[in-house]
Amino acid sequence: MPDNDILTDPFFWALLSAVGMGAGNTIVADVLPRSRFLGALVVASVMLGRILLVLPFCPQPRFELAGLHWPLGLVLIGAGAAFVLPVSRVHWTTAPDASERLRSTGVYGLVRHPAYLGNIVLCLGWAVAFRSTVGVALTVLWWLSFWLHARIEEASLLRTYGADYEAYKRRVPWRIIPWTHFHTRVAS
């Protein structure tokens, strides 16, 4: 394979993930029709890009953790999965639907967007496990993109659930990262 092969360029995979995130924003903003297939395609591009860019076939700087990269990476992957798996019953690949009940307990009682928290921690775990400097550095940008995505999604959730969602926001002030100042203050 030539050195300039696009499939071995980690930034190609990061770009694919970013395009998926942008498409996800149009879905939750009710711009595109409710399509589970399109939503699944968006989720696949977001996840595939972020996972493949950390793998050894993408040449990039790698860091050392004295052999702890696998155990630490697996702990992070497990923690991320703990937030993503309980959300798998929700139709999160499409815009909010009033026929679904507003979930506010379990992982939703900790943060309003547990799938995004889990997704970020999961991908950080992959990056740590494969010692990917690029993957760890991009985790901050992914968090920012999920934070922006959550803001768009919350406008859609507010249109769908109204006062119930406002009350939920007051009860659970953290969008993605619990116990931080990265949340929206809601007037009482």
Side-chain angles (χ1 to χ4, degrees), residues 37 40 46 55 74 85 93 95 113 117 123 129 131 137 140-141 160-161 163 181 188:
F37 173 75
V46 169
L55 297 180
L74 291 175
L85 292 177
T93 57
H113 300 279
L117 171 60
C123 287
R131 302 175 303 118
V140 175
L141 293 176
T160 303
Y161 295 109
H181 295 290
S188 299

Side-chain angles (χ1 to χ4, degrees), residues 3 13 26 51 53 66 72 76 81-82 84 86 90 94 108 113-115 122 129 131-132 134 137 143 145 153 177 179:
D3 287 340
W13 296 107
T26 62
I51 290 172
L53 80 83
L72 180 57
L76 289 168
V84 171
V90 177
T94 63
Y108 287 97
H113 300 279
L122 187 75
R131 302 175 303 118
S132 169
V134 173
W143 168 76
S145 66
E153 183 176 10
I177 302 175
W179 308 294

Side-chain angles (χ1 to χ4, degrees), residues 38-140:
L38 183 58
L41 189 62
V42 165
V43 169
S45 73
V46 169
M47 288 304 293
L48 183 68
R50 288 184 298 146
I51 290 172
L52 290 181
L53 80 83
V54 304
L55 297 180
F57 80 88
C58 289
Q60 60 185 287
R62 305 281 172 175
F63 57 86
E64 291 299 324
L65 282 177
L68 295 176
H69 60 281
W70 276 110
L72 180 57
L74 291 175
V75 165
L76 289 168
I77 289 168
F83 281 93
V84 171
L85 292 177
V87 194
S88 62
R89 293 184 318 247
V90 177
H91 301 276
W92 49 275
T93 57
T94 63
D97 183 355
S99 68
E100 292 182 58
R101 70 176 176 77
L102 177 63
R103 287 169 175 78
S104 60
T105 60
V107 291
Y108 287 97
L110 185 60
V111 293
R112 294 194 305 262
H113 300 279
Y116 301 160
L117 171 60
N119 200 295
I120 292 164
V121 173
L122 187 75
C123 287
L124 178 61
W126 277 102
V128 168
F130 286 100
R131 302 175 303 118
S132 169
T133 303
V134 173
V136 170
L138 287 175
T139 299
V140 175

